[in-house]
Amino acid sequence: MAYQHEGRGHPLVLLAGQANNHHWWDPVRADFHGAHTTITLDYRGTGGSGAPAGPYSTPLFADDVVAVLDHLGVERADVYGTSMGGRVAQWLAARYPGRVRRLVLGCTSPGGPHAVERDASVRRALAQPDPARAREALADLMYTPAWRAAHPGPYTTLGDADMPPHARRAHLRASSGHDAWDALAHIGAPTLLLHGGDDRLTPPDNLALLADRIPDTRAHLLPGARHAYFEEHRAEAGGLVAAFLA
């Protein structure tokens, strides 16, 4: 497992989305360094980590996070997971309650039959055979056209281009197979939920589902934001997270 740690202060684990490595957090990571040491890892199959044969799962990724924390000697940390990273964070908080002080879940869902899934048009756009067009469709789901016009990229949230095909498929199955519905009620850490109001990749109705299921939550919807709310709405989202963690 490849991992990275920067800054000084209470440890904060940052968990990226599906088929992404730690660079997902590059645009906003430094915002947390005034109060936190940020810890990231490259999921198995991404970045500098190995790519063993699958199957992969979100509980397995949570176990990998604990292995990194053990290696660093970190007993307890704050955890901020977005997209599939939010799914991993759910298992981390439910299965290892003593390791998570405060939890932030962004643009994520409980998975399984209770989740509100993206519509068929989104699935078709992402599955089209032309990689360039599929990448363009993903960028449109991440950011608003106005923001992209002012920030032409490159974007760090569109996937690890160097992943081997078997690992990319394993990530897709891990995220698609996530179902933490029963485990959510066992999350004891105070939890902040964030979601973009215009998120079509993970519909915002999932925010209410998580808020109703996790015992100690506060929820915030960011109007007009898409899936990468944490980057496009950096000041507002980062401020909410910083205040919550403090």
Side-chain angles (χ1 to χ4, degrees), residues 1 8 11 19 96 107-108 142 154-155 159-160 166 185 194 216 236:
M1 298 299 302
R8 179 177 297 178
Y96 300 96
C107 56
T108 194
M142 288 285 186
Y155 308 114
D160 184 339
H166 78 273
L194 298 173
D216 182 5
E236 181 181 7

Side-chain angles (χ1 to χ4, degrees), residues 5-237:
H5 57 111
E6 302 176 24
R8 179 177 297 178
H10 187 76
L12 170 63
V13 177
L14 300 172
L15 297 173
Q18 175 192 320
N20 280 268
N21 56 40
H22 71 280
H23 291 298
W24 171 279
W25 290 102
D26 283 357
V28 301
R29 181 173 192 157
D31 296 348
F32 300 107
H33 288 162
H36 293 87
T37 297
T38 59
I39 301 168
T40 52
L41 71 156
D42 294 338
Y43 295 120
R44 56 179 68 203
T46 72
S49 292
Y56 299 171
S57 68
T58 48
L60 178 63
F61 291 145
D63 292 343
D64 288 342
V65 175
V66 172
V68 169
L69 294 179
D70 287 346
H71 177 74
L72 291 171
V74 174
E75 182 62 31
R76 201 159 183 247
D78 295 327
V79 177
Y80 183 6
T82 47
S83 198
M84 189 190 78
R87 299 179 177 204
V88 175
Q90 292 165 33
W91 285 116
L92 185 60
R95 296 177 67 183
Y96 300 96
R99 309 302 294 268
V100 180
R101 188 186 74 102
R102 288 190 170 237
L103 178 66
V104 183
L105 303 176
C107 56
T108 194
S109 85
H114 296 282
V116 178
E117 296 297 333
R118 64 194 65 157
D119 62 45
S121 65
V122 172
R123 291 194 294 272
R124 286 194 300 270
L126 295 175
Q128 57 188 305
D130 183 341
R133 294 183 65 181
R135 191 174 178 85
E136 176 65 20
L138 179 57
D140 187 60
L141 292 164
M142 288 285 186
Y143 309 100
T144 63
W147 194 85
R148 289 181 64 199
H151 304 81
Y155 308 114
T156 62
T157 56
L158 304 186
D160 184 339
D162 297 324
M163 286 181 73
H166 78 273
R168 191 173 300 278
R169 292 190 297 268
H171 268 247
L172 176 60
R173 287 191 291 267
S175 190
S176 299
H178 174 77
D179 183 358
W181 187 257
D182 291 336
L184 295 176
H186 301 290
I187 294 177
T191 302
L192 173 66
L193 305 172
L194 298 173
H195 217 112
D198 290 347
D199 189 344
R200 296 179 62 216
L201 196 59
T202 302
D205 287 347
N206 288 290
L207 179 75
L209 294 174
L210 291 168
D212 288 342
R213 195 68 178 163
I214 301 172
D216 182 5
T217 60
R218 59 204 73 182
H220 192 91
L221 191 71
L222 291 91
R226 298 191 178 183
H227 199 62
Y229 73 86
F230 51 90
E231 184 176 359
E232 182 167 348
H233 292 251
R234 175 180 181 175
E236 181 181 7

